[in-house]
Amino acid sequence: MKTHSIVRVSLLIACVLSAPLAQAYNEYDARRDCSRKVADWRSNYRDARFENVENSGWDSYNLSGKVSARSDGKQHDFTCRVQHQELVSWNVNNRSVDDEHNDKKDKRNRNLAIGAGVLGLVALAAVVSNSKSAENPAHEEKRTDYTAGKANPFADLTFLKNECGANLRRHIDDDHGEVKSLDLISAKLTGRVLKGEGSVTFEEGSKRRLNFSCDFDRSGRIYDGKYSFR
């Protein structure tokens, strides 16, 4: 009788210990489940390549990457969501990566053709405080002194050009695409308005000439302005 009891206890312990192992679910399982949906042999896509896998806890994952279209080999973005070991959603973008890129480029070109932008009032204050010029202690010190009225900002054309350039770059970047470089070729100060010409080069390779103006208040802070492409 004792022998039977020992056997039963041993089997029970073995079952308890093996249960978590049987229920284990990891990144490999999430990738497998996602691949079966987005690149199944019966689907229009193949060769799922994962670019990002986020473990959100409790056997849940967010996955994304690219698959190849069986028809023409073009790349398409896909996403999957696994929740508590269950694949609850998946999607493959019908438009290829190239098509999406061309659409963005066409949109940017259309914007460039329109070629105008206005430097807003409130937005500029945030731009200045978060601009790369904040990484330059000397420039930041000048800004502090000018704001406090300790010096005349309109005797410092370099400071005004740096302020204007930083704001132009931020707005063009938001309006027309990522800016690689911005150069103010000429700048003339009339009263508190800085006007001139410049050039901007975008990360995707195109380059445009522009006209600009930046309006400053008495402490050397930009409160308005505009630019247009030539």
Side-chain angles (χ1 to χ4, degrees), residues 110-165:
R110 288 196 296 272
N111 287 336
L112 290 175
I114 296 171
V118 176
L119 310 186
L121 301 178
V122 178
L124 285 174
V127 172
V128 170
S129 63
N130 293 301
S131 67
K132 291 185 177 179
S133 63
E135 299 174 2
N136 185 334
H139 184 90
E140 185 65 26
E141 185 176 351
K142 286 183 178 181
R143 182 187 293 148
T144 301
D145 289 344
Y146 295 148
T147 301
K150 296 180 179 179
N152 179 16
F154 300 101
D156 189 347
L157 186 60
T158 299
F159 171 82
L160 299 177
K161 287 177 65 176
N162 287 339
E163 289 288 275
C164 187

Side-chain angles (χ1 to χ4, degrees), residues 127-205:
V127 172
V128 170
S129 63
N130 293 301
S131 67
K132 291 185 177 179
S133 63
E135 299 174 2
N136 185 334
H139 184 90
E140 185 65 26
E141 185 176 351
K142 286 183 178 181
R143 182 187 293 148
T144 301
D145 289 344
Y146 295 148
T147 301
K150 296 180 179 179
N152 179 16
F154 300 101
D156 189 347
L157 186 60
T158 299
F159 171 82
L160 299 177
K161 287 177 65 176
N162 287 339
E163 289 288 275
C164 187
N167 284 279
L168 284 168
R169 178 170 184 150
R170 175 63 180 269
H171 280 275
I172 294 172
D173 192 275
D174 288 344
D175 294 341
H176 302 293
E178 191 171 357
V179 173
K180 182 178 182 180
S181 64
L182 174 70
D183 298 313
L184 301 188
I185 300 171
S186 65
K188 180 180 179 180
L189 182 64
T190 303
R192 297 176 184 171
V193 179
L194 186 71
K195 294 183 178 181
E197 300 178 357
S199 66
V200 58
T201 302
F202 293 92
E203 286 290 351
E204 46 83 16

Side-chain angles (χ1 to χ4, degrees), residues 21-56:
L21 295 177
Q23 297 175 2
Y25 192 92
N26 55 31
E27 181 179 321
Y28 172 84
D29 300 306
R31 287 172 178 257
R32 177 202 61 207
D33 292 344
C34 181
S35 295
R36 287 176 176 174
K37 285 296 184 182
V38 300
D40 182 76
W41 65 272
R42 293 166 296 184
S43 75
N44 296 325
Y45 308 98
R46 57 183 174 82
D47 300 332
R49 296 174 301 288
F50 292 89
E51 297 178 344
N52 184 58
V53 179
E54 176 190 357
N55 185 342
S56 54

Side-chain angles (χ1 to χ4, degrees), residues 49-80:
R49 296 174 301 288
F50 292 89
E51 297 178 344
N52 184 58
V53 179
E54 176 190 357
N55 185 342
S56 54
W58 301 98
D59 295 335
S60 300
Y61 294 84
N62 294 310
L63 310 96
S64 62
K66 291 182 174 60
V67 287
S68 300
R70 296 184 186 276
S71 58
D72 55 17
K74 288 186 176 182
Q75 305 298 296
H76 295 253
D77 291 319
F78 73 82
T79 59
C80 288

Side-chain angles (χ1 to χ4, degrees), residues 75-90:
Q75 305 298 296
H76 295 253
D77 291 319
F78 73 82
T79 59
C80 288
R81 169 62 180 161
V82 174
Q83 190 169 351
H84 306 309
Q85 302 187 18
E86 180 184 356
L87 184 65
V88 294
S89 66
W90 63 93

